[in-house]
Amino acid sequence: MTDATPGTRLRAAVADDAMLLREGIGKVLADGGVDVVASVGSGEELVAAVEAGGIDVAVLDIRMPPKFRDEGIVALESLRASGSKIGVLLLSMYATPEYAMRALDAGAGTGYLLKERVSEPHTLVAAVTTVSRGGSVVDPEVVAQLMNRPRADGPLSTLTARELSVLEAMAQGNSNAGISRQLFLGVKTVETHVRNIMQKLGLDDSPDNHRRVLAVLAYLGSR
Amino acid sequence: MTSIAADPTPPDVRVAPPARLGAGRWAAWLLLIAGGPALNLFMQVLGWEATPPLDRPEVSYVALHCAVPFVFAFSAFVGLQLGERRLPIVLMIAFSYLWIPQTFFAVVAYFGYVWPILRSIDLLWALLLGMIALAYPRGRYVGRVDWTVVGIGVGVSVVRAVFVLIADKTENRDCLCVGNAYALVGDQSTFTTVDLIYRIFGAVIVLFIATRLMWRWSRGSQPTRSVAFVMPIGLFAWTAALIAEAVSYGLHSSAKGSFVVAITGDGAVAVVSLFAVASVPVCYIAGSVHLRNTRGRVADLMVITREGADRTAWRDELARVLRDPSVEVYWWDERSGGYHDDQGEPVEVDLDGAEATRTLLPIAGTGGAPIAVIRHDRALVENERLLDGVSAALRLSVDNGQLRGEVERTLAQVRESRQRIVEAGDEARKRLERDLHDGSQQQLVALAMELRTLVSAARSEGAHDVAARLEEALSRLSTALKELRELARGIHPTVLVEGGLALALPELASRCPVPTEVETSVDARPSELVEATVYFVASECLANIARHSGATRAWMTLGCAGENLLLTVRDNGHGGASLDAGTGIRGLVDRVEALGGELELASPAGQGTTIRVMLPALSTIGA
């Protein structure tokens, strides 16, 4: 499922307890070429819908009934626990790095976006596509928070401005190709920057994009 | 001798302690006390000088005779110092003065209108001695029997004094006296008979008093024995002496009618008599000191009172203090309007009903409300100051208990209401955030989506102007959303609700301009209120660190200490923070204490600031 055949439309399930947003998200996805095959109001219903099959990607609010706490993440963790590898995009009204990390920790094919990104159709659709292919997405706002964390002088301060931009793009879940597109750099250049960054920060460069994102986020999250 | 049961119980055994004496009054008392023996000594010497050498008694006897008023005066002095009642003290002092008339007959024997007066009053000391014994141990007369005995004693003494004055003649006396100027009636034998009857009568009264005390002692319960202590011994000695003296006097006067013997008595008997007489005030004071010691045990009750003992312990201690194992305490129960024993069983208490050997002592609080009734051995009434102390201790104990209960209740109420206030505030913030989240924020996001649709529509229709302005509106909306997000997060951080302190504290620290290391090691999540309080405290601490401390690093740890949650926030700033300095730490203390926690602040100048917060975290919700 993670490799949707090009040409076939993605089938998505949307979970949000606010009807207005649920329908809005559905509309944005539909306009972006994604079929919304299930639209539910809680995490449990979403899990049930996914287990029923025929769904490639799920878009779900974090805060839903019954407790309005972290039902979205719980649903994600429950899906991953049962072996599902579908793409899951979490939406939240708040940009919380700790949540983003917890979400990504659950496994590859996971994204965390601010809810207001639904007003940027291509961002939302791109994120849905990325996670459905096993990629990772982290909201720029979250990454910005992590990058701007006050910290004691460390390896981060030895990074050049360009390297910082590359690091930020890495943290958002971009692959090297994605970074080269975002920063208008050649892929080779990006690879060099990435190698330098990982070396300076003392991180293992992993060919697995998901693991790279996790490592970078963990580095930024720690002090 | 049913006088014990017949004794009416004094309605109120509480006694006002004697007023403290001022310096002037002390001097007056001392003068009065010292005057008796001094005058005695002086008159005794005069009398000795005036008595023809052949008629003089032995020097040792005179010395003893002279010592008796000293003993009384000294006893009075000790009694005064001990704060004894005035009656026995006055009686003792009066005794020392009434002892004088016996000492100097020889001096006035030539004055026919003086010596009969001395003779008429020369035995009044015996009346006083009886009255002193009768007043023991209460220091006053209580009940019909006491007053009857006093009345008879005074009456007989007055009759005897008048009779002596008008009937004592000297014809048959071996005496150098001149005639009695007041002599009106009778001959010497009539006088002697009446005098003898008086002496026997006196002996009977004293015997009665002594027997009464002894009877109580022997028949009475343990408390009785402790009350009627020593005195009867002295009294019996004196009675024996009196009888012996009366017999000897009778023999002498019928045979020889010796004036001197009449005054001084006969050898050994007279000496014993003097000792017996002197023993009465000594016994009185000794017994009184003994009672005082038993009163001292009331202090033990006070210790119990302080420790807030239960009712059974109170009864047991009372039994020990009163030496009355059968003592019962019945406690007033406001709800049922009756008395209960210490097991809580209702008890019928008839305060007006009389029992043969038991007395009920009702104890009321300051407002007159009944507190308890002590059912004790009747004999304890004698020791009214002891009971007074017991009443006071009981009253104190109950007052103490009530006050403590009230304070504890109030404190509990205040604690609860303080916690409710904190809870309500927390709840209000949470509701506000929820309203923002579910209301305005959702609406604005939906509005943003709507605007985006409009942008697309405008573009597709070629209205690029409109599209650009809509884009502008969208970006302003995005800013508004961001601000709203920050506002909502400040009101109540959702990360706290959703992820608990383990997530919220690092998130909080990440916003602090001073680099802060966070370490959390808490498995289960405490209650929301505790979480909110920890978060609030941590947030304030970090804000203080950023604003006031001048620190370049900070450390925050959250862990468990037993069943408590322990938060420590430390920085490397310049220290010197205090609870009063208006840094908002006072508010933290209030919040922490509202949940029954503690906040410690250590901020030595130049060594950074450490705040430790301990919060009881018993109530946990699912981790």
Side-chain angles (χ1 to χ4, degrees):
Chain A
M1 295 255 204
T2 49
D3 282 313
T5 324
T8 37
R9 288 165 67 96
L10 284 172
R11 290 161 301 174
V14 179
D16 194 317
D17 57 307
M19 170 86 95
L20 198 61
L21 291 186
R22 202 160 70 210
E23 289 185 346
I25 293 166
K27 189 163 176 297
V28 170
L29 290 181
D31 289 350
V34 178
D35 284 340
V36 177
V37 295
S39 186
V40 296
S42 76
E44 283 171 15
E45 287 172 282
L46 179 95
V47 172
V50 170
E51 278 169 357
I55 287 167
D56 307 312
V57 64
V59 179
L60 64 160
D61 189 13
I62 286 187
R63 195 156 128 176
M64 281 189 293
K67 284 184 173 171
F68 298 96
R69 292 164 73 112
D70 54 355
E71 284 78 5
I73 297 191
V74 170
L76 163 67
E77 283 162 351
S78 134
L79 282 177
R80 295 292 186 240
S82 64
S84 168
K85 292 210 179 328
I86 67 159
V88 176
L89 182 64
L90 292 165
L91 297 180
S92 168
M93 205 60 96
Y94 302 99
T96 313
E98 282 71 21
Y99 265 16
M101 285 186 239
R102 187 177 153 199
L104 263 63
D105 265 340
T110 311
Y112 177 95
L113 280 188
L114 266 181
K115 211 179 237 184
E116 63 193 72
R117 302 292 174 217
V118 299
S119 65
E120 301 162 22
H122 54 275
T123 310
L124 185 66
V125 173
V128 165
T129 311
T130 306
V131 296
S132 71
R133 289 182 184 147
S136 310
V137 176
V138 178
D139 196 278
E141 179 77 24
V142 171
V143 176
Q145 268 187 36
L146 285 172
M147 297 289 289
N148 295 333
R149 275 194 174 174
R151 65 193 81 218
D153 280 349
L156 212 53
S157 58
T158 67
L159 263 54
T160 64
R162 173 65 76 195
E163 284 169 343
L164 284 174
S165 311
V166 173
L167 181 67
E168 199 167 353
M170 279 162 70
Q172 288 171 11
N174 289 296
S175 62
N176 286 355
I179 297 170
S180 80
R181 272 198 303 280
Q182 191 176 333
L183 300 179
F184 306 106
L185 295 170
V187 176
K188 287 280 173 211
T189 323
V190 170
E191 279 171 3
T192 313
H193 282 311
V194 168
R195 216 169 23 249
N196 286 344
I197 292 166
M198 298 309 258
Q199 202 172 1
K200 281 184 182 174
L201 301 186
L203 299 176
D204 290 333
D205 193 2
S206 166
D208 178 15
N209 192 52
H210 180 70
R211 283 169 72 173
R212 188 173 82 178
V213 177
L214 279 181
V216 170
L217 285 180
Y219 180 84
L220 292 175
S222 72
R223 300 244 115 178
Chain B
M1 280 296 190
T2 53
S3 59
I4 294 162
D7 259 357
T9 310
D12 183 7
V13 294
R14 268 173 280 157
V15 185
R20 281 246 152 266
L21 290 175
R25 305 200 102 200
W26 252 112
W29 275 106
L30 282 181
L31 205 63
L32 198 61
I33 290 172
L39 217 52
N40 259 286
L41 189 60
F42 181 66
M43 298 312 257
Q44 193 90 52
V45 172
L46 280 188
W48 172 268
E49 289 294 330
T51 309
L54 281 178
D55 290 338
R56 283 174 186 167
E58 283 176 39
V59 177
S60 62
Y61 174 80
V62 175
L64 265 182
H65 194 269
C66 201
V68 170
F70 275 93
V71 173
F72 273 76
F74 185 71
S75 299
F77 174 72
V78 173
L80 197 65
Q81 282 216 314
L82 289 178
E84 276 302 319
R85 281 175 171 279
R86 292 285 180 270
L87 176 71
I89 293 171
V90 168
L91 288 176
M92 286 176 199
I93 295 172
F95 178 96
S96 71
Y97 284 91
L98 285 177
W99 193 249
I100 298 172
Q102 312 174 74
T103 57
F104 63 110
F105 275 122
V107 180
V108 293
Y110 304 103
F111 304 98
Y113 38 87
V114 176
W115 73 256
I117 296 179
L118 280 190
R119 283 289 282 147
S120 74
I121 60 170
D122 72 349
L123 279 183
L124 280 184
W125 59 263
L127 170 67
L128 295 187
L129 195 65
M131 284 172 72
I132 292 171
L134 193 62
Y136 181 83
R138 274 181 278 197
R140 60 189 176 129
Y141 305 121
V142 178
R144 254 195 341 262
V145 175
D146 280 4
W147 286 112
T148 307
V149 171
V150 169
I152 292 174
V154 170
V156 170
S157 294
V158 168
V159 167
R160 188 258 178 192
V162 170
F163 184 79
V164 168
L165 191 63
I166 59 171
D168 193 6
K169 297 190 176 165
T170 56
E171 283 86 25
N172 293 323
R173 289 196 181 220
D174 187 11
C175 159
L176 301 170
C177 313
V178 295
N180 181 351
Y182 310 104
L184 293 174
V185 288
D187 53 16
Q188 188 57 41
S189 67
T190 319
F191 163 76
T192 309
T193 311
V194 170
D195 203 26
L196 189 62
I197 290 172
Y198 170 75
R199 282 165 190 263
I200 292 171
F201 204 87
V204 168
I205 289 183
V206 173
L207 192 65
F208 171 76
I209 296 170
T211 311
R212 187 160 162 242
L213 280 171
M214 271 315 270
W215 188 87
R216 283 191 207 180
W217 190 87
S218 62
R219 294 286 303 276
S221 56
Q222 207 177 352
T224 321
R225 295 184 192 183
S226 112
V227 169
F229 176 72
V230 186
M231 181 59 104
I233 304 165
L235 280 179
F236 274 112
W238 186 43
T239 319
L242 272 182
I243 292 168
E245 212 174 14
V247 170
S248 141
Y249 173 68
L251 292 175
H252 276 290
S253 32
S254 56
K256 221 168 75 182
S258 163
F259 194 51
V260 172
V261 170
I263 302 165
T264 59
D266 185 21
V269 174
V271 169
V272 170
S273 173
L274 286 184
F275 272 107
V277 166
S279 77
V280 169
V282 172
C283 289
Y284 190 103
I285 295 301
S288 183
V289 167
H290 172 72
L291 286 189
R292 194 169 296 272
N293 287 343
T294 60
R295 287 204 289 276
R297 289 198 302 265
V298 172
D300 298 345
L301 286 178
M302 301 311 256
V303 171
I304 288 210
T305 299
R306 194 195 61 209
E307 289 164 355
D310 63 18
R311 298 184 158 182
T312 317
W314 226 97
R315 195 212 74 86
D316 294 346
E317 188 63 17
L318 192 60
R320 207 179 63 73
V321 166
L322 294 179
R323 300 248 165 101
D324 179 3
S326 63
V327 75
E328 291 290 348
V329 185
Y330 303 137
W331 303 84
W332 178 256
D333 184 61
E334 199 57 59
R335 234 171 304 160
S336 61
Y339 289 96
H340 285 204
D341 65 11
D342 46 23
Q343 304 301 320
E345 294 297 317
V347 179
E348 274 298 317
V349 175
D350 180 11
L351 287 178
D352 303 320
E355 289 178 81
T357 60
R358 325 284 297 155
T359 296
L360 295 173
L361 174 65
I363 293 166
T366 20
I371 290 175
V373 166
I374 299 177
R375 185 166 172 271
H376 59 81
D377 194 290
R378 180 171 281 273
L380 286 169
V381 173
E382 302 286 336
N383 197 351
E384 55 191 31
R385 290 231 185 127
L386 174 63
L387 290 180
D388 190 32
V390 166
S391 308
L394 188 64
R395 211 172 292 128
L396 256 182
S397 165
V398 170
D399 280 356
N400 197 18
Q402 278 171 352
L403 273 180
R404 194 161 39 199
E406 246 166 65
V407 166
E408 274 166 12
R409 259 195 311 283
T410 312
L411 202 60
Q413 281 168 359
V414 168
R415 272 202 200 106
E416 279 167 25
S417 72
R418 191 158 69 158
Q419 180 160 352
R420 275 199 301 274
I421 289 170
V422 170
E423 268 170 347
D426 198 54
E427 195 49 48
R429 292 165 80 100
K430 212 154 62 183
R431 201 171 48 241
L432 193 56
E433 188 276 334
R434 202 159 45 225
D435 288 350
L436 280 179
H437 181 272
D438 297 343
S440 313
Q441 282 176 305
Q442 305 270 34
Q443 290 286 348
L444 290 182
V445 169
L447 179 61
M449 284 165 67
E450 186 65 28
L451 280 178
R452 180 59 64 194
T453 321
L454 288 179
V455 171
S456 310
R459 285 252 162 75
S460 63
E461 284 172 22
H464 293 289
D465 248 20
V466 177
R469 285 171 64 185
L470 284 173
E471 292 267 15
E472 172 66 21
L474 250 175
S475 97
R476 275 161 60 188
L477 185 56
S478 170
T479 311
L481 266 169
K482 187 168 180 165
E483 283 174 7
L484 195 56
R485 200 159 60 221
E486 291 302 310
L487 178 66
R489 205 185 46 79
I491 291 170
H492 193 84
T494 57
V495 65
L496 177 63
V497 180
E498 292 159 8
L501 291 166
L503 284 191
L505 290 187
E507 200 261 0
L508 189 63
S510 74
R511 291 166 191 279
C512 177
V514 178
T516 306
E517 270 178 39
V518 182
E519 209 183 304
T520 58
S521 52
V522 177
D523 301 331
R525 283 184 63 175
S527 73
E528 282 186 27
L529 192 60
V530 170
E531 279 191 337
T533 302
V534 170
Y535 185 86
F536 176 82
V537 171
S539 163
E540 275 299 308
C541 288
L542 291 181
N544 279 337
I545 288 171
R547 248 177 282 149
H548 307 289
S549 75
T552 57
R553 293 295 298 274
W555 297 265
M556 179 151 71
T557 56
L558 179 73
C560 292
E563 283 174 333
N564 291 324
L565 214 53
L566 183 66
L567 172 76
T568 311
V569 184
R570 186 164 63 85
D571 67 53
N572 63 353
H574 46 59
S578 84
L579 291 178
D580 327 307
T583 47
I585 301 179
R586 191 68 245 176
L588 297 187
V589 173
D590 287 349
R591 248 200 106 144
V592 168
E593 285 180 353
L595 268 73
E598 280 172 31
L599 185 146
E600 279 172 30
L601 170 74
S603 189
Q607 294 175 50
T609 300
T610 304
I611 290 181
R612 284 160 54 89
V613 175
M614 187 89 93
L615 275 174
L618 284 169
S619 54
T620 53
I621 53 174

